[in-house]
Amino acid sequence: MIVGILGGGQLSLMLAEAAKPLGISIVFIDPAPDACANRVARQILANYDDPAALEQLADLADVITYEFENVPSESVRILSRRLEVYPPSNALATSQDRLLEKNMFVELGIPVPAFKAIDSLDELREAVTKIGLPCVLKTRRFGYDGKGQAVIRSMDDVNAAWQSIGEAPAILEAFMPFEREISIIAVRDPEGNHRTYPLSENIHNNGILAQSYSRNDDPFFDQSCQYVSRLMDTLEYVGVLALELFQVGETLYANEFAPRVHNSGHWTIEGTSCSQFENHMRAVAGLPLGETEITGRSVMLNCIGAMPKVSGMQGLSGVTVHDYGKSPRDNRKVGHITLNAEDDDAVEELLAIVQRNIS
Ligand code: AMP
């Protein structure tokens, strides 16, 4: 079986690595000659909207998936005429537009921060008075890792916030005083079977994920599980989906979902017997889903900007360094380090050693 992927970044690389033992090979489209997945998979070097490249991908592959949600919807439409594209196009379209996404959460009875659609500066001023301060302005489309966002703390910030997001169609939402940011990663196959990984608790720096902690037996697991199942069933979803939530007191509020494997689930490679990458491949290829239970505790540390020197950690049991082979650049995710141990204390001990050795 051959799976075609739109995108050849680190997620594609890890999907391809997980696909190999399943007897699945990967062909992907990416316009970057140094795309990380080209170490392990065949690349079609082209833009995502190149009609000839899309036809070539459809000729070679048995099924299509993607590794990022800003895939051109027209490309998905073209590919869908020839073969299945998973996750389905309605999931992609919803996740590409924060307003559609928020409306879907509301329809499904999943709490969200108070929000309003914004199309002009006047609407923004009025919405700020209704929602209250502080609040967050986010472009409806093409935002990621905190890009296309501005926090408004006083009425004096409104003009600058509107300009900073390029006066693009947006939503304004209440700033949540969250205790925790968590994500739940789940997978659904074409028959509607689901599996769910234990929760990840996530720490962000400047809007970019910095650390994820696996949280077994989390008191919010059942609630998160219900929300993600509702979402996947409604979308008739196939593949891995990540739902990001804010915990405020006893309530979970949905922030957004990603129709793909997710950075907060990278610890599943070493932490579970079937990683999010393998389960995504299994789902799109129509293979039985794998186990999602964790045996111990895991922590994932993102390497942002450049890979740290890891010499002091090499050979430490329970430490795995993933270097995506990307050139250094500010705010770029270039790798991650996963720590695994039998319990919280042991993983914290490992974390202290690794943090001392990172330079
Ligand atoms: P997003 O691109 O929506 O995932 O936002 C990136 C990060 O900004 C989130 O992970 C939060 O840390 C923060 N953030 C986004 N929306 C809000 C909000 N409504 N209230 C507080 N923090 C937020």
Side-chain angles (χ1 to χ4, degrees):
M1 154 136 297
I2 300 180
V3 174
I5 306 183
L6 292 166
Q10 66 266 22
L11 300 182
S12 232
L13 166 68
M14 290 183 271
L15 284 168
E17 285 168 345
K20 203 168 175 218
L22 299 172
I24 296 173
S25 47
I26 300 294
V27 55
F28 68 94
I29 296 184
D30 196 298
D34 58 352
C36 350
N38 73 13
R39 290 193 248 157
V40 288
R42 174 171 174 188
Q43 179 169 9
I44 300 172
L45 183 68
N47 287 324
Y48 300 115
D49 56 358
D50 179 326
L54 293 168
E55 292 303 333
Q56 192 188 348
L57 187 69
D59 287 342
L60 291 168
D62 300 300
V63 60
I64 302 290
T65 188
Y66 44 87
E67 62 144 16
F68 65 112
E69 56 269 42
N70 289 324
V71 178
S73 48
E74 179 60 11
S75 302
V76 170
R77 209 177 57 77
I78 292 170
L79 290 165
S80 304
R81 287 202 298 251
R82 301 266 316 266
L83 65 187
E84 293 288 0
V85 179
Y86 292 137
S89 56
N90 57 339
L92 182 65
T94 308
S95 73
Q96 283 180 339
D97 184 331
R98 289 188 191 271
L99 183 60
L100 299 182
E101 189 180 36
K102 286 272 189 301
N103 286 337
M104 174 164 280
F105 289 139
V106 172
E107 273 165 35
L108 296 177
I110 303 173
V112 289
F115 70 97
K116 281 210 162 296
I118 305 294
D119 287 308
S120 69
L121 184 57
D122 284 345
E123 280 180 12
L124 176 58
R125 284 186 189 291
E126 198 191 322
V128 173
T129 58
K130 290 222 168 80
I131 286 179
L133 293 164
C135 48
V136 193
L137 183 66
K138 300 181 177 180
T139 52
R140 279 176 62 171
R141 299 174 68 82
F142 304 124
Y144 69 98
D145 283 350
K147 292 198 175 71
Q149 288 190 25
V151 177
I152 299 176
R153 297 186 190 280
S154 85
M155 278 319 261
D156 295 340
D157 295 341
V158 170
N159 278 357
W162 181 237
Q163 276 165 26
S164 78
I165 65 151
E167 306 185 359
I171 61 165
L172 183 73
E173 60 183 56
F175 189 88
M176 303 305 282
F178 56 78
E179 273 111 281
R180 296 194 301 162
E181 282 194 80
I182 57 178
S183 55
I184 182 153
I185 293 176
V187 59
R188 187 176 184 275
D189 72 12
E191 276 79 51
N193 302 304
H194 305 176
R195 300 259 171 141
T196 310
Y197 290 94
L199 293 185
S200 296
E201 184 173 329
N202 305 319
I203 315 287
H204 291 82
N205 286 336
N206 303 320
I208 304 177
L209 183 68
Q211 301 178 1
S212 288
Y213 293 77
S214 72
R215 293 294 183 217
N216 320 28
D217 315 316
D218 194 282
F220 288 88
F221 177 76
D222 289 345
Q223 186 70 81
S224 312
C225 211
Q226 281 179 27
Y227 291 162
V228 78
S229 302
R230 237 179 264 172
L231 191 59
M232 292 198 307
D233 286 339
T234 303
L235 293 166
E236 295 185 41
Y237 197 82
V238 175
V240 163
L241 180 147
L243 173 63
E244 294 183 42
L245 300 150
F246 299 129
Q247 182 210 327
V248 185
E250 290 305 303
T251 308
L252 292 178
Y253 295 86
N255 177 30
E256 61 181 3
F257 78 87
R260 56 170 169 80
V261 286
H262 194 254
N263 196 170
S264 66
H266 289 2
W267 59 263
T268 63
I269 298 177
E270 291 84 15
T272 65
S273 59
C274 185
S275 73
Q276 60 165 351
F277 301 99
E278 180 176 340
N279 258 330
H280 186 73
M281 280 297 136
R282 286 175 170 273
V284 302
L287 299 172
L289 299 179
E291 293 301 329
T292 49
E293 279 105 54
I294 183 169
T295 41
R297 295 287 189 271
S298 298
V299 179
M300 191 267 336
L301 307 174
N302 261 346
C303 305
I304 295 169
M307 282 305 286
K309 289 204 180 71
V310 293
S311 47
M313 308 174 225
Q314 267 158 355
L316 263 184
S317 168
V319 177
T320 314
V321 178
H322 295 255
D323 182 343
Y324 309 147
K326 289 161 92 168
S327 48
R329 192 202 296 157
D330 274 359
N331 292 334
R332 192 179 210 194
K333 293 172 181 168
V334 294
H336 72 269
I337 301 171
T338 312
L339 317 179
N340 279 92
E342 63 276 15
D343 57 28
D344 284 340
D345 288 346
V347 92
E348 289 291 339
E349 224 169 90
L350 210 48
L351 183 59
I353 299 172
V354 167
Q355 282 176 328
R356 268 202 309 277
N357 278 285
I358 286 181
S359 59

